[in-house]
Amino acid sequence: MSYTIFYARTSTDAQTIEHQADQARAAGYTIDEVITDEGVSGLINFSERPGGWRLLDKVRRGDRVLIRWFDRLGRNYDDVTKTVKTLLESGVNLQ
């Protein structure tokens, strides 16, 4: 059975985890768990963020990871690409 995890990162007070998760639910997704990095700068590599390493440790082949924006998955193009590649090679469905 697949598990759906929504990952969200906020770096400003104008962004909220709830708003991002609500948008995913409004689009018809059922979320089993929300993993977050609140108030974490985009200058930190994904795998070094508490929520980032938690997500990478938790997901298993066949799981689905939902994100609102791809830039949530890294600090720059190279980091986002590395994170996406890691997830896809692990058999995770990224949406």
Side-chain angles (χ1 to χ4, degrees), residues 6 8 16-26 29 31 34:
F6 182 77
T16 68
I17 300 300
E18 294 79 21
H19 176 72
Q20 292 177 45
D22 287 346
Q23 287 180 325
R25 289 184 187 103
Y29 291 102
I31 298 170
V34 177

Side-chain angles (χ1 to χ4, degrees), residues 1-7 31-36 46-47 49-65 86-87 90-93:
M1 180 173 162
S2 68
Y3 194 70
T4 300
I5 299 171
F6 182 77
Y7 174 78
I31 298 170
D32 296 308
E33 182 175 353
V34 177
I35 294 179
T36 65
F46 186 79
S47 62
R49 300 174 189 166
W53 57 257
R54 185 168 161 236
L55 175 73
L56 293 172
D57 185 57
K58 183 165 189 101
V59 293
R60 300 291 178 256
R61 179 170 298 282
D63 286 348
R64 178 184 350 195
V65 173
T86 298
L87 291 168
S90 298
V92 172
N93 180 350

Side-chain angles (χ1 to χ4, degrees), residues 37-50:
D37 280 311
E38 294 188 64
V40 174
S41 168
L43 298 177
I44 299 171
N45 285 335
F46 186 79
S47 62
E48 296 171 5
R49 300 174 189 166

